Structure formats: structure tokens, C-alpha cells
Amino acid sequence: MDNVIRSRIPGTFYRRPSPEEAPYKEAGDRVVTGDVIGLIEVMKTFHEVKSEIDGIVERFEVEDADAVMAGEVLVVLR
Amino acid sequence: MRIRKLLIANRGEIAVRIVRAARDLGVPCVQVHSAADSDMLAVKLADESIEIGPPPASKSYLNAGAILTAARETGADAIHPGYGFLAESAKFAEACSDAGLIFVGPSPETIRLMGDKAAARRQAANAGVPTVPGSEGVIEDVDEVARLADDLGFPVMIKAAAGGGGRGIRIATHAESFTTLAIQASTEARSAFGDGSLYIEKVIPGARHIEVQILGDGRDVIHCWERECTLQRRRQKVWEEARSPALDDATREALCHSATDLAQSVGYSGAGTVEYLFDESQGRFHFIEMNTRIQVEHPTTEMITGLDLVAEMICIAGGRPLQHKQEDVTSRGHAIEVRLNAEDPENDFMPNPGTVSDMVVPDGPGVRFDHMLYSGYQVPPFYDSLLGKLIVHGETRDHALARLSRALSELRIEGIATTRPLFVDLLRECPIGDNAIHTGWLEEWLAMKRQKNEEASPG
């Protein structure tokens, strides 16, 4: 599948920049290359997940604060 | 020994260290673990283990209720908090004593006093310990802080009273940026620690970080000499030595005495560390804070003194008075510790959890490796990146440096990136051998190296 955004690293996935803020992206939002779609917390540090493709968010495959593995699909685009 | 069964409320390499100290004392131990840590080394080495919650630390290692329940269920009568997590929580220490359990550490009052960094500064000043020039206690009014900063002269550090360990700190280089930074620091501190009060300290350029290990039993206090922890990245120590190569005998004597004076002034019980900045150009030291727990770099002190600091903590908590007089704590040779983190120095120190496919542990004279690894171990992503510490001891600093180089060449950790190559590189650099360093040196050196690499491979 080429229309997905995967996590490069294992950790905890967050959809918001901080608990009080709105999610980076919602289903139906447009995504272009370089857009941040979430954060991965690994070993007490936070890393932005950037899209390497363009599209529209079809759905999130993981929930906010879910544990993810390296290579796991986070978002499916259409 | 009054302690009959010790519960270890921590994980990783320090949990392994505490299991070993307990077993050396003949005290059975219970290792707590999160759902992600059921196969960690400390669980395998302890007499018993018990799960306390899901992977996130907030639901396991920081969950005081779950830890106290685990102690009750396993019949433990004492809890060792290690470092980090609940180690400096006065509330947790209090909850232990309310539950009839021994907390291996100082009293809740001492933890609370030293945890308020502004109050600790005042305590130090009252005990005659030189502090970094700055505000007396916390300042609630930002305009008032700004006036004081002007008097001190820029740059100044803006610090959160409830902070520590490098968190909640801003450096203001001139008056114009001061108010904005102070408001930022206060907001950040309020959300992180629930307390936005600030204090300020003058920046001492080119300072070294030097700290004194102390032991107290509530009556007497002794020091176990000092450690040099000047090599830091993002305010985290990466390389530590005992003793400091930068002090002459008179300064060392004064420094160590000031630490025991401060600890004595609060009737300190347990192991603690008094941290200072040392202004080499002036030959002056200034108190910055006291940590009321065992520290990561404690093995360097153990290598030069022959003491087992973790065992001492357990014995003191069990009610045994100090067994060592000050004159008995002698220092021999030189020790160096380097921190092996699961981070990739080739990729801006990106954390790198994964599975250790194979490993070779260095050995031989003067070498100690305190770690949490075994072949096949899967390093979880949920906790900090410290995998272990390589510690060497030699007759002289040069001897220790040679041993470090030899031990690093023996060490192999396969399957995950570690900070080992950083130390191999550092040992090739003259300034480490020459010892001309300050707390900003490592980051400057890393930036220079990065620039060189970019020039060598443009684009």
C-alpha cells in the first residue's frame, strides 16, 4: 500500500501537539508532503511524524495515545 | 538489619544495582514491573516480582497506590525508590511511612526542603555554603525579578523553584528578552510542576559541574569525595569522573566540608549529592542544588572509596548508624563512567529502542559494567534511554582513560544503536585528555563535528 503514513520508530502515538490543543489532522483533511500528522513519544522524547505523500485522510489506524511499532500504519489516505 | 524484605520501585539498570546490594546484605527483594517490563533483568535476578500496571510510567512506576499495594501483597517492609520516578517525591515518602513502610531515603521534610530549589539555596546560604549569586528565595513579581537581573548583570538563568534536573530553565542574555522568558518559564513550571514561582541565578561562564557525595544517618554526616560531571548534552550528564581533576587539595577540602555542613544542617539521613558549579578561573565553587537520592554516577565514587553506597542506604534506612568515620573514607586512584544510552550519535541522538541481538561485556582489571541488558532483550520504548554505565578505575587519570579505551573496544552491543561511538570519538580528542572543558563544551564539540561532516560531504 502506497497511500499510508507509517511510523518510522516505535513508541506512543499522539494526534495532538499537546493535550489541550486540537488534533493535527481529522478524517477528510487534506495532507501534503511535509505536513505533521502526529507525534511519537519514544524514550521520553517527542518526534513529529511527517507525511511523505499527498492525499485526503481516509482514516486513522491507531487511536490517540496508542502504542505503535516501527513500520506500523498510522493513517490511510485516499 | 531491621529491613526484612525490600521492594524495588524502579526499573532498568538501577533496579539491577539495588537487587545486587540487597542480596549482598542477605535481604530478600521484590521487583515491581510494568506490563512492558516482565522480562527485564532485575525481574530475573530478584527473589520475587510483581506487576504494578500498564506500560506508561504514569500508570505503573509513578503510581504510588499500586506500589504500596504491591508492598502489602508481597509482605515487603521497605521500599527503595532508586532515581527518577518517585525517588524525590515527599508525598510518596510520607505515604510509605503512613503505611508503616520504611522509605529508603531521607525524611519527607528533607525531600520537600531540597525539592524547593529556592528554599534549598537559602538553606545552603544559612549553612555558610557559597551559592550562585542571585535572588534570595522565590520572586513572585516578574518586574521585581527583572530589576534584580539588571543588578546582577546579564546573562542570567531563570529557574523554576519546583524544577531541577535541567527542567524549567531559561537563559536571558539581555534585559529586553527577560520578561518574555520569565513569563514562559513560569507558565511552563506551573503546568509541569503545579508551581510557577521562579528564582534567578547569575550565569557563570565556563563553569564545571562538580558534586559531592554524602552519607548521613540523621546524626552524623560524612562525605565520600567529589565527582566531576562537566560533560553534558542537553543538561544530561554523559561522562563522569571521581575525583575531579580540576581541584587543588585546599579547594577540595573546602568543597567537601561545605557539603557535609549543608547535610548536617538538615539532619540528613541516607545518601545524597550536593551539586556545585566550579568557576575554574576564580577557583570558586557555588552551590546549585541537592539531590536527595542515589545518583546514576554513584559507581565512580564506589570505585575510588571501595564503599557500596546502595548497601549503605539500605542499612541506614534500617536504622543502623554510619559505620565509617570521615578519616576512614579514603580515595584511591581515578574512576570514569560513561553512559550507554539507546541513542544514535550518528543521527542526532535519536532514541533507538529494539532488540539486543548479541553482546560482549567488557571485563578484566578495573572494569565494571552496570547495565540492564542480555542477549535477546527487547528494550522497550516507554522509558528513558539509559541502558547501562561502563565504569573504569585506574591508578591515575591517564591509566583510567587507557582502561576506558580498552573496555570500550571490548564492549559490543548488537541490534540497537548506542552512544558507545561517542566515547570512542571523545577519547581520540585531546581536550578530554587535557581536561580543558566546561558544561557547554560537549555540545560545542558535537556542533563542530557535525559542521565538519557536512563540509566533507556537501549536499
Side-chain angles (χ1 to χ4, degrees):
Chain A
M1 282 204 297
D2 298 322
N3 59 333
V4 298
I5 303 170
R6 294 171 191 274
S7 178
R8 290 167 171 271
I9 48 177
T12 307
F13 177 66
Y14 295 102
R15 287 187 51 191
R16 303 158 190 273
S18 72
E20 302 84 44
E21 289 175 78
Y24 287 104
K25 296 287 176 187
E26 299 280 10
D29 283 356
R30 163 146 228 103
V31 171
V32 297
T33 304
D35 276 3
V36 176
I37 61 101
L39 294 175
I40 300 281
E41 181 187 8
V42 57
M43 296 183 146
K44 294 163 82 178
T45 61
F46 289 88
H47 304 270
E48 290 180 339
V49 183
K50 289 184 179 155
S51 180
E52 290 170 356
I53 50 172
D54 299 349
I56 307 283
V57 177
E58 173 78 28
R59 63 178 185 276
F60 280 82
E61 289 285 295
V62 291
E63 299 284 323
D64 191 52
D66 268 3
V68 299
M69 306 304 290
E72 194 167 330
V73 174
L74 305 172
V75 182
V76 179
L77 301 184
R78 64 178 141 90
Chain B
M1 172 65 57
R2 216 172 89 220
I3 293 173
R4 294 185 312 275
K5 197 188 231 186
L6 180 69
L7 181 130
I8 299 159
N10 213 298
R11 63 176 305 283
E13 69 87 22
I14 196 62
V16 173
R17 174 70 188 86
I18 300 165
V19 168
R20 287 184 171 142
R23 300 201 59 148
D24 287 350
L25 291 166
V27 178
C29 51
V30 182
Q31 179 61 54
V32 306
H33 66 87
S34 74
D37 271 343
S38 53
D39 59 354
M40 72 178 176
L41 186 56
V43 166
K44 293 178 191 288
L45 299 179
D47 299 277
E48 290 174 56
S49 63
I50 181 167
E51 189 174 316
I52 49 164
S58 58
K59 293 174 180 158
S60 49
Y61 301 104
L62 287 167
N63 183 345
I67 290 166
L68 293 171
T69 303
R72 196 170 56 239
E73 281 175 8
T74 56
D77 61 347
I79 297 184
H80 197 307
Y83 52 65
F85 299 127
L86 295 169
E88 287 170 287
S89 163
K91 267 191 192 154
F92 180 66
E94 233 156 38
C96 288
S97 99
D98 290 348
L101 298 165
I102 297 170
F103 175 81
V104 180
S107 69
E109 295 74 39
T110 302
I111 297 173
R112 194 166 285 128
L113 173 68
M114 292 304 173
D116 178 340
K117 302 303 170 186
R121 264 172 69 81
R122 209 161 37 228
Q123 183 76 30
N126 290 342
V129 179
T131 57
V132 180
S135 57
E136 263 182 58
V138 300
I139 301 185
E140 303 286 353
D141 176 4
V142 171
D143 291 335
E144 200 186 321
V145 197
R147 274 194 299 279
L148 180 59
D150 242 358
D151 290 346
L152 282 172
F154 287 91
V156 298
M157 291 240 212
I158 308 167
K159 294 183 165 182
R167 294 168 304 171
I169 293 180
R170 292 284 190 288
I171 295 175
T173 49
H174 53 277
E176 291 69 43
S177 63
F178 183 82
T179 307
T180 315
L181 290 170
I183 292 168
Q184 270 179 22
S186 181
T187 310
E188 184 182 297
R190 195 170 301 117
S191 82
F193 315 113
D195 175 4
S197 44
L198 302 175
Y199 67 103
I200 60 172
E201 283 178 352
K202 193 172 168 53
V203 169
I204 299 176
R208 287 167 172 267
H209 177 114
I210 299 181
E211 59 188 31
V212 178
Q213 175 70 53
I214 61 104
L215 283 174
D217 61 7
R219 267 167 41 100
D220 297 314
V221 176
I222 56 172
H223 70 76
C224 310
W225 307 102
E226 83 283 7
R227 294 184 288 259
E228 162 108 27
C229 315
T230 296
L231 281 188
Q232 305 184 1
R233 184 179 165 273
R234 297 193 174 162
R235 300 186 193 282
Q236 297 293 314
K237 299 162 187 167
V238 302
W239 168 307
E240 299 101 344
E241 306 190 23
R243 301 179 300 179
S244 167
L247 299 183
D248 59 42
D249 286 346
T251 309
R252 170 173 292 125
E253 194 72 10
L255 175 83
C256 293
H257 268 125
S258 81
T260 52
D261 284 348
L262 173 59
Q264 197 88 60
S265 79
V266 297
Y268 199 90
S269 179
T273 298
V274 186
E275 299 196 324
Y276 301 84
L277 289 178
F278 179 60
D279 183 348
E280 209 170 2
S281 63
Q282 304 288 318
R284 284 207 195 120
F285 55 84
H286 307 270
F287 169 84
I288 40 176
E289 62 182 61
M290 178 168 192
N291 296 323
T292 54
R293 52 169 163 84
I294 193 71
Q295 296 210 185
V296 174
E297 59 273 25
H298 76 275
T300 53
T301 299
E302 295 183 328
M303 296 293 260
I304 59 161
T305 61
L307 292 170
D308 181 333
L309 293 170
V310 180
E312 293 289 335
M313 289 177 87
I314 297 169
C315 292
I316 291 166
R320 196 201 69 181
L322 278 177
Q323 302 288 291
H324 309 279
K325 290 194 169 55
Q326 185 63 68
E327 56 269 29
D328 301 334
V329 184
T330 53
S331 160
R332 208 191 62 114
H334 192 86
I336 304 176
E337 170 184 284
V338 295
R339 298 193 188 189
L340 276 307
N341 292 341
E343 293 169 8
D344 185 357
E346 297 300 309
N347 186 14
D348 198 27
F349 294 86
M350 178 73 114
N352 199 269
T355 302
V356 177
S357 54
D358 194 13
M359 63 184 291
V360 178
V361 171
D363 209 340
V367 175
R368 168 174 164 183
F369 189 38
D370 278 25
H371 66 99
M372 61 185 292
L373 305 174
Y374 55 85
S375 188
Y377 176 61
Q378 198 177 342
V379 180
F382 307 107
Y383 313 104
D384 73 41
S385 60
L386 183 65
L387 299 171
K389 296 127 38 176
L390 178 58
I391 309 111
V392 295
H393 183 250
E395 291 302 320
T396 61
R397 184 167 188 265
D398 282 343
H399 190 208
L401 285 167
R403 278 208 164 133
L404 179 59
S405 180
R406 188 263 293 172
L408 281 168
S409 75
E410 291 178 17
L411 171 68
R412 265 187 35 225
I413 300 171
E414 307 284 348
I416 53 173
T418 75
T419 45
R420 177 188 167 278
L422 168 69
F423 304 118
V424 174
D425 283 356
L426 274 171
L427 281 166
R428 278 200 220 106
E429 292 286 316
C430 293
I432 289 295
D434 297 348
N435 188 35
I437 52 168
H438 57 89
T439 51
W441 184 87
L442 180 60
E443 287 188 350
E444 288 169 14
W445 179 79
L446 286 166
M448 200 180 66
K449 212 169 81 118
R450 201 160 44 233
Q451 200 181 349
K452 261 193 211 156
N453 285 349
E454 277 161 18
E455 279 163 14
S457 58

